[in-house]
């Protein structure tokens, strides 16, 4: 399964074929034609390799445009006619008719394939535009705080999904949001968009994380009511809000049922489980709207990794989950970009190149020195 990766807002697509291998694939119809022609001329006529010539334009339809496909079929027809001068009993009329019919069918198939590829390309352009709105590029540094992002879409056709993140430089500090809407399809994308839009609006106005969270709860509740679906009882979002004050020293974390972040503090790895659980978004009506904020040290040089459950639920061939805390200990402190690059590579290696869920991650590093505190 192919996947897409978004790093710091830039869409990248890993290549499966490189250099000579990719060229060999594109040239395979021509190579097949030459091989069949050579065998037809060099082997006894009883074998009749010439009857395989219609396979060449059929193969070309899968990867070539219409005109080259037709030209290849014409070349195969010329080869068959040439063979008829050497062997009079090859059944040339029947093979030639097969080449003509297959070439016409291959040309039509190539035309239909190109039309579908163009339509899919336009859909992907729209998806890319929506992706840039939903997960817009993040600055690599905000008030000396280094921040990098990673987004991996599990499926080629689904460049956007229910995982989301955002960062805002506010008068109260740098505020981060990462979360995951439970569910699939456009309804999950819509709910994620509602949460992100609400965060972008309220992160600058609300003086504490609880106020932001209550606004997020209201936003996703209204969205769910406006766009009801059969899975409405299951539509909720887990999320983490983090506030990094401008004066440094500590960070504040509000965890709404999300996988706990990892903190590298003075060389030690800490799993930041919430002291008191807070309800996921859109479940406050069922279990209450009591939100709890934890404060943890965040000294110069410390690292913070926020992620969605697609990271920890990545499985290997034996069905074992990806051991993120152990992986973090093995890799040690690293620049945010390097850390996410390694995570991307190791997740693909661990899963054998197959991802079953979307993945989002934010890597943050506290600066070794602070600049001046911006005015509120």
């Amino acid at each position: 399964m192919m996947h897409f990766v978004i790093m710091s807002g830039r869409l990248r697509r890993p290549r499966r074929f490189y250099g000579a291998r990719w060229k060999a694939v594109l040239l395979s119809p021509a190579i097949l034609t030459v091989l069949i022609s050579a065998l037809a001329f060099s082997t006894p006529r009883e074998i009749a390799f010439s009857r395989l010539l219609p396979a060449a334009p059929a193969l070309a339809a899968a990867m070539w445009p219409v005109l080259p496909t037709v030209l290849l079929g014409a070349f195969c027809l010329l080869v068959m006619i040439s063979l008829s001068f050497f062997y009079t009993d090859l059944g040339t009329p029947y093979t030639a008719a097969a080449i003509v019919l297959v070439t016409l069918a291959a040309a039509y198939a190539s035309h239909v394939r190109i039309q579908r590829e163009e339509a899919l390309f336009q859909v992907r352009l729209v998806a890319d535009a929506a992706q840039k709105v939903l997960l817009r590029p993040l600055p690599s540094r905000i008030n000396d705080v280094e921040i990098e992002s990673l987004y991996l879409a599990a499926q080629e056709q689904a460049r956007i999904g229910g995982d989301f993140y955002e960062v805002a430089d506010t008068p109260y500090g740098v505020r981060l949001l990462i979360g995951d809407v439970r569910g699939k399809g456009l309804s999950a994308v819509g709910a994620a968009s509602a949460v992100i839009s609400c965060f972008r609006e309220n992160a600058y106005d609300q003086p504490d994380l609880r106020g932001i969270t209550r606004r997020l709860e209201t936003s996703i509740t209204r969205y769910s009511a406006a766009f009801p679906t059969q899975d409405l009882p299951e539509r909720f979002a887990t999320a983490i809000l983090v506030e990094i004050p401008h004066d440094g020293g500590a960070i504040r974390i509000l965890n709404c049922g999300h996988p706990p972040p990892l903190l590298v503090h003075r060389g030690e790895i800490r799993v930041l489980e919430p002291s008191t659980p807070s309800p996921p978004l859109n479940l406050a009506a069922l279990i209450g709207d009591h939100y709890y904020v934890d404060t943890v040290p965040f000294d110069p040089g410390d690292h913070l990794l926020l992620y969605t459950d697609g990271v920890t639920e990545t499985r290997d061939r034996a069905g074992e989950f990806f051991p993120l805390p152990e992986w973090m200990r093995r890799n040690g402190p690293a620049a945010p970009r390097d850390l996410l690059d390694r995570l991307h590579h190791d997740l693909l290696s661990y899963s054998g190149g197959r991802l079953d869920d979307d993945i989002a991650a934010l890597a943050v590093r506290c600066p070794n020195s602070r600049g001046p505190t911006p005015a509120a």
Side-chain angles (χ1 to χ4, degrees), residues 17 19-37 52-64 68-69 72 75-76 113:
F17 301 101
R21 290 184 60 191
W22 177 237
K23 292 179 180 178
V25 172
L26 287 178
L27 293 176
S28 57
I31 295 173
L32 179 63
T33 303
V34 173
L35 179 61
I36 294 175
S37 301
L52 298 177
L53 283 172
L59 178 61
M63 58 191 73
W64 285 10
T69 301
L72 182 65
F75 178 78
C76 291
R113 174 183 57 81

Side-chain angles (χ1 to χ4, degrees), residues 185 197 358:
S197 299
D358 295 343

Side-chain angles (χ1 to χ4, degrees), residues 72-279:
L72 182 65
F75 178 78
C76 291
L77 183 61
L78 290 176
V79 170
M80 192 64 212
I81 294 174
S82 300
L83 284 170
S84 66
F85 291 108
F86 297 93
Y87 306 107
T88 58
D89 54 349
L90 286 178
T92 301
Y94 302 102
T95 304
I99 292 174
V100 172
L101 292 177
V102 170
T103 299
L104 293 176
Y108 177 73
S110 176
H111 172 70
V112 172
R113 174 183 57 81
I114 291 174
Q115 284 188 324
R116 290 181 177 178
E117 289 178 352
E118 290 177 350
L120 181 59
F121 177 73
Q122 295 299 323
V123 171
R124 287 176 177 170
L125 288 179
V126 175
D128 287 346
Q131 179 72 77
K132 291 178 181 179
V133 174
L134 185 62
L135 298 180
R136 60 189 180 186
L138 302 181
S140 59
R141 185 182 294 269
I142 299 179
N143 281 319
D144 296 329
V145 177
E146 296 182 53
I147 302 174
E148 294 288 351
S149 61
L150 170 67
Y151 185 90
L152 294 174
Q155 297 183 0
E156 180 178 2
Q157 293 81 5
R159 297 194 180 189
I160 54 179
D163 290 9
F164 57 88
Y165 57 77
E166 185 56 284
V167 177
D169 183 16
T170 75
Y172 310 99
V174 178
R175 287 174 166 174
L176 302 92
L177 168 71
I178 189 168
D180 180 8
V181 175
R182 298 310 184 198
K184 298 180 180 180
L186 293 178
S187 62
V189 176
S193 177
V195 173
I196 292 178
S197 299
C198 181
F199 175 81
R200 290 171 179 169
E201 181 68 24
N202 289 277
Y204 298 90
D205 301 329
Q206 296 296 321
D208 60 67
L209 298 181
R210 295 182 185 88
I212 299 176
T213 306
R214 290 190 173 91
R215 293 294 181 89
L216 299 180
E217 170 72 22
T218 301
S219 177
I220 192 172
T221 300
R222 288 175 177 172
Y223 177 86
S224 299
F227 301 96
T229 61
Q230 294 180 352
D231 64 342
L232 180 59
E234 300 179 1
R235 183 193 287 168
F236 64 92
T238 64
I240 285 183
L241 289 88
V242 177
E243 181 178 277
I244 307 174
H246 294 302
D247 54 4
I251 56 176
R252 289 181 279 272
I253 302 176
L254 197 160
N255 190 333
C256 297
H258 199 75
L262 298 181
L263 174 66
V264 181
H265 177 64
R266 297 179 180 178
E268 295 184 359
I269 307 295
R270 293 180 56 189
V271 181
L272 300 180
E273 295 281 359
S275 58
T276 304
S278 299

